[in-house]
Each structure stands twice: as structure tokens, then as C-alpha cells.
């Protein structure tokens, strides 16, 4: 299970999540660990919002032996109002406190991982802008409305739900899925404000 957790501070958590209770999250983590369910924590650090939570998040993850991944904020929809703390700045903060970061090979999703001198957990980074990883992308996304998106950051896709309602055969649907894969965009254009095919829905609406 991947947990989104952007801070440990109770009040800030309530503010960021508009009413959330960190104690319930921590209880959920303990219960999942009791059942031996593997967990990962995903944190998005934003300038002026939760920068002070970087070390508390690492301490929490390390104490609970859960790998932690920092996801760089992507400038989409309301997220454009905030500024990301970039991977290199996070690494500087981490190495100052915990010692050297050594990159390790973990072939698992878009994150690249580090072992840190004085931490027992792995720290990962998913940095769509500062360390673009589209060249290795093998992802498609199927939204809750049935839209198959070849790239998270394009406003294009094919609605499989509509096709199913039209009694299109399985073979035809398979051909459409293959075609979507073969025409997968090479990379996102998040850094280009003027790019016309850019997805601008919030990440929560496209399953991010
Ligand atoms: S190609 Fe699209 S979905 Fe794949 S990593 Fe890049 S932005 Fe994400």
C-alpha cells in the first residue's frame, strides 16, 4: 500500500487534508504492519507549506521501517499555485542530517532510490520535472470513468467504457488498447505552459 503523507504535525495534517486526523493514519499504518502488509510513504514537499516536515517525515518512516519517496509536485490545476521543493534541495537537507546518499538499483516503478548512511530505510525520489523519467515509462492509466490514458499529462485517451457499451468486440478493444500503447507520447510537456494537449485536471481526478 502506498500512503500519501505530507507531514506528521497534527495541525498541519488537518489543514493540508482539510479535516484529516493523523492519529487515524498512524493507527492504520500500525494495523497494516501487524498484518505484514508492505507499505511505502509518498510525500510531496511544497515551499512554505511543509518544508519543516522533511526531517520529521524521515524520522517517522525510519522509526517504523517504511521506505519513503519524495514526489515532486507537478504543476497541474490547483497545484500550479504551489512551488515544489526539488530533489537536489531535498538531497542536500538529507545528506546534511544523515550523511551520504548512495544510489541503489531498485527496479520498481518510476522512483530512483538511495541508501543513506545513517538511515535504515531506502529514500526514493519521483521527480517528473527536475529528473524527467519519461524515457523509461511503461505506464498507462485507466481512470474511474473508463478513460485509458497513454500518458498522465496529456488530455487525450480512449474511453473504453463507451466502447464496451457499444458492444465492440474484445478483439477490437484489444486492437484499440494496442494502438494506444503504440502511440504513447514520448514525454510530458509540463514545463511548457503553451502546450495545447496538456492535461489540466487535478491529480485526484486522474488517479494520481
Ligand atoms: S510519459 Fe507520461 S506517464 Fe510516462 S512518465 Fe512521462 S509523464 Fe508520466
Amino acid at each position: 500500500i502506498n500512503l500519501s503523507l505530507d507531514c506528521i504535525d497534527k495541525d498541519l495534517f488537518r489543514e493540508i487534508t482539510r479535516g484529516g486526523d493523523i492519529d487515524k493514519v498512524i493507527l492504520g499504518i500500525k494495523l497494516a504492519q501487524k498484518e505484514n502488509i508492505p507499505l511505502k510513504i509518498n510525500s510531496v514537499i511544497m515551499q512554505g507549506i511543509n518544508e519543516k516536515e522533511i526531517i520529521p517525515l524521515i524520522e517517522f518512516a525510519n522509526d517504523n521501517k517504511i521506505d519513503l519517496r519524495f514526489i515532486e509536485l507537478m504543476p497541474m490545476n490547483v497545484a500550479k499555485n504551489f512551488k515544489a521543493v526539488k530533489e537536489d534541495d531535498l538531497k542536500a537537507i538529507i545528506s546534511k542530517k544523515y550523511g551520504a546518499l548512495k544510489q541503489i538499483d531498485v527496479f520498481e516503478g518510476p522512483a530512483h532510490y538511495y541508501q543513506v548512511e545513517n538511515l535504515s530505510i531506502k529514500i526514493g525520489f519521483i521527480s517528473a520535472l527536475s529528473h524527467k523519467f519519461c524515457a523509461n515509462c511503461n505506464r498507462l492509466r485507466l481512470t474511474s470513468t473508463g478513460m485509458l490514458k497513454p500518458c498522465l499529462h496529456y488530455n487525450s485517451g480512449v474511453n473504453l467504457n463507451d466502447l464496451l457499451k457499444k458492444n465492440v468486440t474484445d478483439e477490437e478493444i484489444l486492437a484499440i488498447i494496442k494502438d494506444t500503447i503504440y502511440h504513447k507520447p514520448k514525454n510530458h510537456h509540463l514545463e511548457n505552459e503553451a502546450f495545447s494537449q496538456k492535461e489540466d485536471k487535478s491529480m485526484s481526478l486522474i488517479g494520481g
Side-chain angles (χ1 to χ4, degrees):
I1 297 177
N2 290 348
L3 290 138
S4 269
L5 194 60
D6 300 328
C7 64
I8 294 298
D9 180 86
K10 215 174 157 65
D11 294 332
L12 185 59
F13 184 85
R14 192 181 307 116
E15 197 185 321
I16 289 179
T17 58
R18 286 179 289 175
D21 180 353
I22 188 82
D23 292 337
K24 285 188 183 168
V25 178
I26 293 172
L27 178 65
I29 289 173
K30 301 280 178 211
L31 291 175
Q33 286 188 316
K34 226 168 132 187
E35 299 298 323
N36 293 321
I37 296 171
L39 301 173
K40 279 190 223 113
I41 294 176
N42 290 337
S43 301
V44 178
I45 306 295
M46 295 161 281
Q47 292 181 28
I49 305 287
N50 59 344
E51 281 164 301
K52 286 198 183 103
E53 293 292 297
I54 297 167
I55 300 298
L57 278 164
I58 295 173
E59 291 289 317
F60 176 82
N62 199 53
D63 288 349
N64 288 282
K65 300 188 175 26
I66 307 170
D67 291 338
L68 173 61
R69 305 178 322 165
F70 288 106
I71 302 185
E72 198 172 87
L73 184 76
M74 297 174 216
M76 298 164 74
N77 200 269
V78 289
K80 283 190 218 149
N81 300 331
F82 301 93
K83 276 200 162 51
V85 175
K86 298 282 170 65
E87 177 175 331
D88 292 352
D89 296 327
L90 288 165
K91 281 176 175 164
I93 293 167
I94 295 167
S95 62
K96 193 170 167 209
K97 170 91 179 161
Y98 299 105
L101 282 79
K102 187 172 170 253
Q103 189 157 7
I104 47 174
D105 288 335
V106 179
F107 299 103
E108 182 192 272
H112 49 282
Y113 283 91
Y114 293 81
Q115 200 66 65
V116 184
E117 211 174 335
N118 294 308
L119 291 175
S120 58
I121 53 164
K122 296 194 288 289
I123 301 278
F125 296 91
I126 301 180
S127 311
L129 279 165
S130 68
H131 295 71
K132 207 169 184 172
F133 45 82
C134 298
N136 298 321
C137 178
N138 60 1
R139 301 283 167 127
L140 293 175
R141 183 154 305 228
L142 183 59
T143 71
S144 58
T145 57
M147 185 68 85
L148 183 68
K149 288 171 73 66
C151 170
L152 204 61
H153 298 301
Y154 274 64
N155 57 15
S156 59
V158 53
N159 196 316
L160 298 182
N161 196 23
D162 288 349
L163 293 176
L164 286 168
K165 282 183 195 152
K166 284 183 196 150
N167 291 328
V168 177
T169 65
D170 287 356
E171 288 71 27
E172 283 168 316
I173 290 189
L174 191 60
I176 290 166
I177 292 173
K178 277 186 181 168
D179 189 63
T180 307
I181 294 169
Y182 290 139
H183 291 95
K184 192 171 158 52
K186 204 170 157 193
N187 49 253
H188 70 66
H189 293 270
L190 279 172
E191 56 284 86
N192 178 1
E193 269 295 319
F195 183 63
S196 63
Q197 294 174 58
K198 198 153 63 174
E199 177 62 88
D200 200 36
K201 291 197 190 79
S202 85
M203 288 296 272
S204 61
L205 288 179
I206 49 176

